[in-house]
Amino acid sequence: MAGYYVEEDEASPQEPPWLQGEGRLKAERIAEHFAEIMRTLELDLEDPHLHQTPARVGRMYMEIFRGLQREHEPAITCFPNDEGYSNMVIVKDISFFSVCSHHMIPFFGCAHVAYIPQHRIVGISKVARIVDFYARRPQLQERLTEQVVDFLMERLEPLGAMAVLEARHLCMEMRGVGKTGAVTTTSAIRGCFHDKGVRNEFTELLGKHDR
Ligand SMILES: [Zn+2]
């Protein structure tokens, strides 16, 4: 029927995976608590623009924090490195959004990931999925960086891996020191990337890229 639309907060027959089963119950519980925060702020929950907000926030939290649920870990298909490829594989400019553990507001930016394969290689798009999985939870940029390389080391057993993350933290921009546009860079190094020559090959490549 023309003009028919589904209310955003109505349960749709096919909920996204993070709102199924336990996820739905958690979203409802978060909504109750968020309503209490809003009442504490003396917001009028009867206002049409606020009325559905607790439910919306509950569902959104389950979405942006879906990396907390182990079952959302990306399925990583590895391929045997039959060609014996032994050069560096670099995936640059993977954008990510995360939420700061300390303040529960976003930090976001770009991840650059490199590894040197041994027996196994991974589909390039999977590297982005790994970053996304670990970003979708309350995080510290340092820990996110470490988790990405650890995952690669564990699953691929490469000769080495490295990640560089550049991010803006809204907890530094919207509040606190109020410094707009400051970029925080973190890196994590494993295996052969401890070798300065190997590391330079990667960082030089990043340096050439105008950001
Ligand atoms: Zn923070």
Side-chain angles (χ1 to χ4, degrees), residues 123-136:
I124 299 289
S125 69
K126 300 294 182 188
V127 177
R129 285 187 193 280
I130 296 162
V131 172
D132 202 52
F133 172 64
Y134 286 110
R136 300 292 186 176

Side-chain angles (χ1 to χ4, degrees), residues 100-107 139 169-172 175:
C100 158
S101 279
H102 298 153
H103 301 96
M104 296 298 271
I105 54 176
F107 69 95
Q139 259 299 13
H169 290 249
L170 291 189
C171 58
M172 277 172 62
R175 53 160 300 287

Side-chain angles (χ1 to χ4, degrees), residues 14 33 41 63 70-71 89 94 101 129 136 142 145-146 148 164 166 174-175 178 186 190 192 195-196 200 208 211:
Q14 192 50 57
H33 291 294
L41 293 170
E63 181 180 359
R70 199 80 205 161
E71 63 267 31
V89 178
I94 305 165
S101 279
R129 285 187 193 280
R136 300 292 186 176
E142 296 85 341
T145 314
E146 298 286 334
V148 170
V164 174
E166 299 171 299
M174 285 176 73
R175 53 160 300 287
T186 49
R190 298 288 183 277
C192 63
D195 183 285
K196 199 169 180 232
N200 283 351
K208 277 184 200 139
R211 279 183 312 276

Side-chain angles (χ1 to χ4, degrees), residues 74 76 91 94 96 110-115 122 126-137 139-156 158 160-165 186-190:
I76 297 298
V91 189
I94 305 165
F96 70 86
C110 264
H112 317 288
V113 180
Y115 72 97
V122 69
K126 300 294 182 188
V127 177
R129 285 187 193 280
I130 296 162
V131 172
D132 202 52
F133 172 64
Y134 286 110
R136 300 292 186 176
R137 60 181 73 179
Q139 259 299 13
L140 305 175
Q141 187 178 334
E142 296 85 341
R143 188 173 56 201
L144 172 58
T145 314
E146 298 286 334
Q147 284 171 333
V148 170
V149 286
D150 281 340
F151 188 95
L152 286 175
M153 290 305 287
E154 232 172 76
R155 300 302 172 94
L156 292 186
M162 180 168 174
V164 174
L165 266 64
T186 49
S187 64
I189 296 165
R190 298 288 183 277

